[in-house]
Amino acid sequence: MDIISHLREAGFDRVTVLTGADCGIPEQTLLLAFMTYEAEAAPPSGGAWIHPYYYVSQRAYRAASALVRQAQAEGIPLTLRDEVRVKPIFARLPGMTQGRNTLSCLPEIGSRFHVQIFALDAPMTPTAHLEDAPHPLHCGSCTRCLQACPTGALDAEGFHREKCLRNWQLGGKPVPGELRGLMGNRLIGCDDCQRCCPHNPAPRGNALPGPSLASLLGSPKETAAALRETIGANLALPNRVLAQACLLAGCSGQQALSPLLAKHAASPSPAVAEHAAWACRALVEGAEAKQEDSKP
């Protein structure tokens, strides 16, 4: 089997071959297979938006898993090694750089990629060798991502995970109150720091339509089941999707969602119940503020 040819046929744009010893693994070879995607020029204003990274990561995982099964059936010792910490490898990989937002960038691609990590217990000719020291940040004096971050998760001191919206999405825990109203229509993912980064190509194309809030709140199990096909089972756990959907409903201003939210306020899931109650209050407060603004 020509592993690299199979990876390219499966949709991976770039493949880097490294020696296992360079990367600290017992196998002889480590392969990094990159699947890239384009930024969306016009994210939707309603519904539940899913960052395109999660669509491509699911496609890449399925393709990688299928390749490993085929290789092992042919007696080739190829395995997936998702537990390998890839950022320290990126930091020493020729041509790759990293920004203040902690995201690594490929030349001409930027940070818009997903990587699948394979180990092969057989020799392959390496296409690159890790450098001795990590690269410095590529940002220079640029602070665009610091200014763009909606929660202040990026500042001069670095990245603060506890303030990052993505850190809390679909995690199964109640989101801190000060972050709930900033979720907007993000079901999973936030593109603000990537969209403004000069190391990323300009966005092209429109966003894929996500599920409606009415379907997420009205048929949460069925809608989550449909999402498994596109973003994977680990992310599409029904109560976690529902808890995030409640926050999006509270941010939406859609009063018609109030009855569905009121029902979920009695959910046995603490995150769903707390988020639904918050969303009910947010919709009421939003309606009252709108009435007040309309007064002569």
Side-chain angles (χ1 to χ4, degrees):
M1 172 189 283
D2 183 339
I3 294 174
I4 293 180
S5 293
H6 276 73
L7 286 168
R8 294 192 180 281
E9 290 170 4
F12 291 94
D13 307 280
R14 302 187 182 193
V15 181
T16 299
V17 181
L18 300 165
T19 63
D22 271 358
C23 303
I25 65 170
E27 293 88 349
Q28 296 181 62
T29 302
L30 186 81
L31 296 99
L32 303 177
F34 299 90
M35 189 174 285
T36 62
Y37 63 93
E38 291 184 353
E40 298 170 337
S45 57
W49 178 67
I50 296 171
H51 192 285
Y53 170 85
Y54 298 96
Y55 295 122
V56 79
S57 65
Q58 176 67 354
R59 290 200 304 272
Y61 172 73
R62 285 185 168 181
S65 299
L67 176 61
V68 166
R69 289 194 297 270
Q70 181 180 347
Q72 292 180 353
E74 297 180 17
I76 298 171
L78 184 70
T79 57
L80 280 173
R81 290 293 300 274
D82 291 341
E83 78 281 5
V84 171
R85 293 183 63 236
V86 76
K87 282 196 175 182
I89 295 175
F90 286 169
R92 295 166 54 207
L93 191 64
M96 289 200 77
T97 59
Q98 183 175 308
R100 299 182 196 275
N101 59 2
T102 77
L103 299 179
S104 299
C105 288
L106 282 167
E108 301 176 0
I109 296 296
S111 59
R112 300 185 185 280
F113 63 85
H114 172 79
V115 63
Q116 284 288 324
I117 309 160
F118 301 85
L120 176 67
D121 203 9
M124 284 184 69
T125 302
T127 60
H129 293 280
L130 298 185
E131 297 174 353
D132 293 335
H135 312 139
L137 297 183
H138 59 217
C139 304
S141 60
C142 178
T143 58
R144 293 185 193 178
C145 62
L146 276 64
Q147 300 167 35
C149 181
T151 63
L154 298 168
D155 61 24
E157 297 179 359
F159 171 61
H160 304 279
R161 185 176 297 277
E162 72 280 1
K163 293 183 179 180
C164 178
L165 294 178
R166 173 62 193 96
N167 180 59
W168 293 97
Q169 294 166 347
L170 306 188
K173 298 180 180 179
V175 173
E178 65 272 18
L179 299 181
R180 295 174 185 175
L182 300 174
M183 285 294 178
N185 69 337
R186 302 174 179 91
L187 186 67
I188 181 168
C190 176
D191 203 44
D192 291 7
C193 68
Q194 293 190 84
R195 185 172 294 278
C196 68
C197 180
H199 289 267
N200 277 328
R204 295 187 297 175
N206 292 327
L208 292 172
S212 69
L213 292 176
S215 65
L216 284 165
L217 298 176
S219 306
K221 290 183 179 179
E222 294 80 1
T223 308
L227 284 175
R228 289 186 202 128
E229 297 299 313
T230 54
I231 64 174
N234 289 339
L235 292 177
L237 297 173
N239 274 343
R240 296 188 181 191
V241 172
L242 178 56
Q244 183 68 8
C246 288
L247 295 184
L248 272 53
C251 294
S252 72
Q254 298 180 39
Q255 300 298 322
L257 299 175
S258 294
L260 293 172
L261 288 167
K263 179 183 70 173
H264 293 307
S267 170
S269 163
V272 171
E274 190 171 330
H275 290 180
W278 173 87
C280 287
R281 294 193 300 271
L283 289 177
V284 169
E285 292 168 4
E288 291 175 348
K290 203 169 184 179
Q291 280 187 337
E292 192 64 28
D293 290 342
S294 66
K295 290 181 180 179

